[in-house]
Amino acid sequence: MPFRAPTARLALKPLSSSPGHVELDGAWWPRSRDLTHELAALADVLDPLWGRITRIAVNPRYWSTSPRKIFVNGHVVKVGWFTSEQDPHKILLLSYTAGRWDLLVIPPETSAPSAARLMAAASASTGPPLTATALMTAEQAGDTSSLHEADTGRPGRLVSGM
């Protein structure tokens, strides 16, 4: 079978045996603001890693479309929209087998160097837990010291290249 590069650009925290939920489990850098297409590509990559993704929650602030469901690997994934309850720079994915995963959403128009810094910070295994909005605010303000503080441990697992 020929090699097919993953369509989703992801960086995930290393698997940990420590219990408890962290603020972010990694970062996702979609290629466009077409959420129907981008979510299908994301779930297609994560299904084999985390188990079947069953629900996705997003804040609609930065998305041009709002699907209620998407089809991935022969099954339906329900998509929920939350405006005040969810960080606009984060996506929440639920799986029956793996539980909950929170990813920083890096805007598609972000430059490659900025996206690389954000992906490294969101997938760092040590450092202070930062919210998705805090990471985006630090990057937009040019405060890379906050990003480097979060990236002092082992690098995360890069699921697919940039």
Side-chain angles (χ1 to χ4, degrees):
M1 175 180 275
F3 173 76
R4 186 185 90 167
T7 55
R9 299 180 288 189
L10 290 168
L12 303 173
K13 284 191 177 182
L15 297 176
S16 172
S17 59
S18 61
H21 187 75
V22 295
E23 182 62 38
L24 291 170
D25 298 296
W28 171 50
W29 185 23
R31 297 179 190 283
S32 73
R33 293 209 181 262
D34 178 356
L35 194 56
T36 303
H37 175 74
E38 296 295 338
L39 284 180
L42 177 64
D44 186 47
V45 170
L46 293 178
D47 263 8
L49 294 173
W50 293 346
R52 180 179 281 193
I53 303 296
T54 56
R55 293 187 180 270
I56 298 174
V58 296
N59 184 312
R61 180 184 301 174
Y62 298 114
W63 299 101
S64 59
T65 60
S66 55
R68 288 285 187 212
K69 60 185 174 181
I70 59 170
F71 296 94
V72 179
N73 296 326
H75 70 279
V76 174
V77 177
K78 294 180 181 178
V79 181
W81 295 88
F82 302 95
T83 53
S84 60
E85 301 89 358
Q86 182 152 342
D87 186 326
H89 299 287
K90 186 167 78 170
I91 187 168
L92 175 119
L93 300 111
L94 298 172
S95 164
Y96 288 129
T97 55
R100 171 183 169 161
W101 297 83
D102 295 85
L103 299 176
L104 167 68
V105 178
I106 300 169
E109 61 275 0
T110 302
S111 70
S114 287
R117 283 191 296 273
L118 287 163
M119 290 178 103
S123 63
S125 60
T126 62
L130 297 174
T131 65
T133 292
L135 284 172
M136 290 301 299
T137 301
E139 179 64 27
Q140 291 166 353
D143 180 16
T144 57
S145 65
S146 295
L147 298 178
H148 291 299
E149 287 173 14
D151 189 25
T152 56
R154 280 188 329 178
R157 297 176 297 134
L158 185 62
V159 173
S160 67
M162 293 183 268

